[in-house]
Amino acid sequence: IQEYKSSLVNLVTSSSTTKELDYDTFNQKFYIDESSPSGLRFKIDVYAGKNYCSLSNPKDSIAGVKSADGSWHITHERKGVKVHRIIYLLANKTIDSSKIIDHINGNPSDNSLANLRQVSHEANRRNLKIDKRNSTGVTGISGDMKGTYRASVTDMRGIRLSKSFSISKYGKEEAFRLACQWRKEQIEQLNANGAGYTDRHG
């Protein structure tokens, strides 16, 4: 998500598949509470330090540290775990390690259950805000050196579909309008089959 530059993965890792989270492990330690800024609180007192004699996180305290990108994380077994994945896990008792937990409104700080959905990497990209490098102002629409507006969209198989509209043939405004219309129609057809393109996406 360009606006927040958020990494929507579970663990801080270069792998596209994240470590599977165990429900019982996290259920013993945390509970969901949307009055918490992170959406999560500690269910038990957590101790740290030498011989675990120092109370580091009292019961019912806010669980998580806010990262620079706006997302929340906790440290578990010396690895960073995204709080939104824990919340989804606790609510659903299972989570697919190959999937992303997407923030529907694009705000990685908002871990309310209504804002979280489990999706594939492809579906997550269908909820991305327009790239700041886009010069046309519309996602999936680009101008090229050949004097056309090119509309593109990715189908359910991951295949990129595109169609170009000539500026010399239609005029600049009409070529742009036709490109936008074509892409909108393609998205409507794909969404009818469950593609999951959202209103944020362009």
Side-chain angles (χ1 to χ4, degrees), residues 83-189:
V83 168
H84 59 266
R85 289 189 74 87
I86 299 173
I87 290 173
Y88 188 90
L89 173 71
L90 295 180
N92 296 276
K93 296 189 177 180
T94 185
I95 193 169
D96 187 335
S97 61
S98 69
K99 299 290 181 66
I100 285 175
I101 304 304
D102 181 31
H103 291 84
I104 297 170
N105 65 7
N107 182 355
S109 300
D110 182 0
N111 289 332
S112 59
L113 283 173
N115 192 41
L116 302 179
R117 62 172 185 164
Q118 180 174 250
V119 297
S120 65
H121 288 258
E122 291 78 12
N124 177 63
R125 286 194 289 269
R126 293 171 187 148
N127 189 35
L128 293 180
K129 191 176 181 180
I130 188 170
D131 192 319
K132 292 181 179 178
R133 296 170 296 178
N134 186 306
S135 61
T136 67
V138 179
T139 299
I141 307 296
S142 61
D144 61 33
M145 299 298 291
K146 297 178 181 179
T148 65
Y149 278 109
R150 184 170 181 264
S152 61
V153 66
T154 303
D155 70 10
M156 302 287 284
R157 301 163 295 173
I159 297 175
R160 194 172 184 81
L161 309 175
S162 65
K163 187 172 182 178
S164 295
F165 297 86
S166 171
I167 292 175
S168 62
K169 179 178 180 179
Y170 297 106
K172 187 174 182 179
E173 290 185 3
E174 181 63 7
F176 179 71
R177 187 192 70 80
L178 288 171
C180 292
Q181 179 180 308
W182 181 87
R183 188 172 190 275
K184 180 180 179 182
E185 291 172 351
Q186 296 303 309
I187 287 178
E188 288 175 350
Q189 292 177 22

Side-chain angles (χ1 to χ4, degrees), residues 10 12 63-67 71-75 80-83 86:
N10 171 23
V12 180
V65 176
K66 197 172 186 180
S67 303
S71 64
W72 291 83
H73 71 275
I74 59 99
T75 300
V81 183
K82 294 293 187 178
V83 168
I86 299 173

Side-chain angles (χ1 to χ4, degrees), residues 12-24:
V12 180
T13 174
S14 60
S15 174
S16 61
T17 301
T18 57
K19 183 178 179 181
E20 187 171 350
L21 303 183
D22 178 66
Y23 171 80
D24 290 335

